[in-house]
Amino acid sequence: AVLLAGLVPDGSAALAQPPPTDPGDEALARSRAQVSARAAEVGRLTGRLADLDARADDLQAALAARREDAEAALQTLAAAEAAAAEAAKKADEAKVATQAAGVAVDDARTRLDVFVTATYQESLHTGPFGLLTAAQDPGELVARAEFTEMVANSQLVAQEGLERARVARVNAESTARAAREEADEQAAAAAAAKQASDAALARAGAAAQENTRALEQVARERTQVQARLDAAEAQDAGLR
């Protein structure tokens, strides 16, 4: 009986679990490779997200620059149009002054002509010189000489008035020409500013459309990359 008991195996020993199997160097290497690959993928996707964010920032900056250019062109246009309007106003005022100077010359010439006609073309009996020859005594002669001098002085004043009016007209015409030239130059500058403003606005509009499409594409790609990154991070966490 004792011998049989020694030959029958113990039940608890028969039910014992075998020791864990060694995965081996090859399995560990595959696991490490998978972890490294996922980590590399996470890094690559993270870098791509950063690139997309930088691209979006660049597009926004480019669009802002175009808008600033357009706003600057509009301000330049407004200033040019204001300068052109002011120059045109001065030209109109100079034209009015020239016309007034011409009228003053005509009036001065008319006054002088009337005076000369009254002095020299009347008969000797009614004119100053006729009255002077008809003097009866020295006192009357002196009086008529004084009258003659007064007439001569009045004629001189009229002649000087005509000369001043002519000089004023010449100056007014010169001022008017300069004002008109300035007005033409300012008008040309305003026209050039209008063309530049239109071009800047067109570029800004085109840039807005182009950048909007580019930003939408960047946003779509970013969404896709973010989803892939989230999945890669989840898998990487499961491998660790």
Side-chain angles (χ1 to χ4, degrees), residues 61-81:
L63 181 58
R66 289 298 186 185
R67 288 174 177 170
E68 290 177 358
D69 291 343
E71 292 175 358
L74 286 174
Q75 292 176 357
T76 300
L77 173 60
E81 289 178 340

Side-chain angles (χ1 to χ4, degrees), residues 92-106 169 172-173 176:
D92 292 339
E93 293 174 349
K95 182 179 179 180
V96 172
T98 300
Q99 294 172 345
V103 172
V105 169
D106 293 339
R169 182 178 64 183
E173 290 173 347

